[in-house]
Amino acid sequence: YFNCYEGKMQKKMTQIGRIIKSSGITATFIAKKLKVTPAAVIYWMNGRNTPTPKHLEKLNTLLNTQITITRKK
């Protein structure tokens, strides 16, 4: 899944997308670890959706990062 969407991700990649891409970990691997679909991870990477606080916490642990998301009210 990661490679299929790579061209689109280059056009609009979020902070999460840049961190995931630079980590070298595939969206499929992350999806399996977080128990979500690879498409969900791709959507986080390109800004279509944002991970839930629970998934963000797991993603930060997996990638050893401190990504934060400011949600609009």
Side-chain angles (χ1 to χ4, degrees):
Y1 289 96
F2 189 80
N3 291 331
C4 294
Y5 292 94
E6 195 168 350
K8 288 183 181 180
M9 286 191 308
Q10 293 299 325
K11 294 177 185 174
K12 181 182 179 187
M13 193 177 300
T14 63
Q15 174 192 17
I16 292 173
R18 287 187 296 276
I19 291 169
I20 290 172
K21 186 158 176 71
S22 69
S23 76
I25 299 174
T26 65
T28 302
F29 179 82
I30 292 169
K32 286 179 184 177
K33 290 292 185 182
L34 274 57
K35 298 180 181 168
V36 298
T37 64
V41 177
I42 297 297
Y43 291 164
W44 301 341
M45 293 175 74
N46 67 24
R48 183 171 176 179
N49 286 327
T50 56
T52 64
K54 176 182 82 170
H55 287 124
L56 185 60
E57 182 179 340
K58 290 180 179 182
L59 186 61
N60 278 325
T61 300
L62 182 66
L63 299 175
N64 194 29
T65 60
Q66 280 300 317
I67 302 167
T68 59
I69 296 176
T70 305
R71 300 188 189 276
K72 295 179 181 179
K73 293 182 180 182

